[in-house]
């Protein structure tokens, strides 16, 4: 079993509120708009990090992180990107990747809106953790933690903080 923390849109912020919420996870997945490679390194020094770049990330971050991450956690195939859309309105490139890769879990960021939804069409769980950073139109900062045990995804929790 692994405990996973999922964040996105930190825009350069990884403060004590996020550290406290993610203290018990085994690894952190970041769905883009990290803010800098320095922040990615800071998060990776705290917990093992899997990250994709976002539209605000610079060239150094884009060279270090892929646009799409495809990996397995326990027995769950995961596809992660920054601009992925959401069920019924996926980005065209995301639809192609989903159709080819057939993930059980699709993680995206960008919208700054937390959303968790099962997509019956593609038989996957969609997660957008919202925005963990302080910059953007959102009024509440959010992050997710969950457990993956074999092929089960369970015990999903949402962290919320004022900006």
């Amino acid at each position: 079993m692994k405990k996973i923390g999922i964040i996105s849109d930190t825009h350069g912020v990884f403060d004590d509120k996020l550290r406290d919420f993610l203290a018990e996870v085994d690894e952190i997945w970041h769905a883009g708009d990290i803010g800098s490679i320095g922040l990615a390194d800071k998060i990776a020094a705290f917990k093992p990090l899997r990250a994709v770049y976002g539209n605000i990330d610079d060239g150094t971050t884009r060279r270090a992180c892929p646009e799409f991450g495809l990996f397995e956690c326990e027995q769950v195939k995961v596809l992660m990107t920054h601009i992925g859309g959401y069920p019924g309105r996926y980005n065209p490139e995301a639809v192609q990747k989903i159709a080819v890769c057939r993930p059980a879990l699709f993680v995206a960021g960008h919208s700054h809106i937390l959303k968790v939804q099962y997509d019956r069409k593609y038989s996957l769980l969609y997660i957008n953790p919202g925005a963990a950073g302080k910059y953007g139109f959102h009024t509440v900062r959010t992050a997710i933690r969950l457990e993956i045990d074999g092929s089960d995804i369970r015990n999903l929790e949402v962290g919320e903080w004022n900006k």
Side-chain angles (χ1 to χ4, degrees):
M1 180 186 71
K2 284 204 172 187
K3 293 181 180 181
I4 307 299
I6 305 176
I7 59 177
S8 184
D9 297 277
T10 48
H11 294 266
V13 175
F14 190 71
D15 60 7
D16 289 340
K17 290 178 182 180
L18 281 173
R19 285 178 192 275
D20 291 347
F21 181 72
L22 300 171
E24 300 302 318
V25 303
D26 297 311
E27 59 187 62
I28 296 171
W29 301 348
H30 197 305
D33 277 4
I34 300 163
S36 70
I37 196 65
L39 185 70
D41 291 343
K42 187 176 179 181
I43 297 168
F46 176 67
K47 297 284 179 173
L49 175 67
R50 294 181 188 265
V52 295
Y53 71 77
N55 57 294
I56 66 105
D57 290 316
D58 64 12
T60 304
T61 306
R62 289 171 186 242
R63 285 187 292 279
C65 302
E67 180 181 7
F68 282 87
L70 178 65
F71 54 92
E72 288 202 16
C73 179
E74 294 276 311
Q75 297 165 20
V76 174
K77 188 185 283 189
V78 180
L79 180 64
M80 182 168 62
T81 195
H82 184 60
I83 303 176
Y86 54 89
R89 297 203 55 169
Y90 291 120
N91 168 298
E93 193 174 357
V95 169
Q96 291 176 344
K97 296 276 188 187
I98 289 168
V100 170
C101 301
R102 317 279 302 157
L105 176 57
F106 179 54
V107 178
H110 187 61
S111 71
H112 290 221
I113 300 169
L114 183 137
K115 185 173 196 153
V116 177
Q117 179 180 343
Y118 186 74
D119 184 337
R120 293 184 195 283
K121 180 176 180 178
Y122 292 104
S123 300
L124 60 80
L125 180 63
Y126 169 86
I127 295 178
N128 184 321
K134 297 179 180 181
Y135 306 101
F137 67 87
H138 60 284
T139 57
V140 176
R141 300 169 57 204
T142 56
I144 288 177
R145 60 184 177 203
L146 53 79
E147 295 174 357
I148 298 179
D149 190 2
S151 60
D152 293 333
I153 302 168
R154 59 181 177 221
N155 296 327
L156 188 144
E157 298 174 274
V158 173
E160 295 183 327
W161 309 273
N162 290 327
K163 285 170 85 171

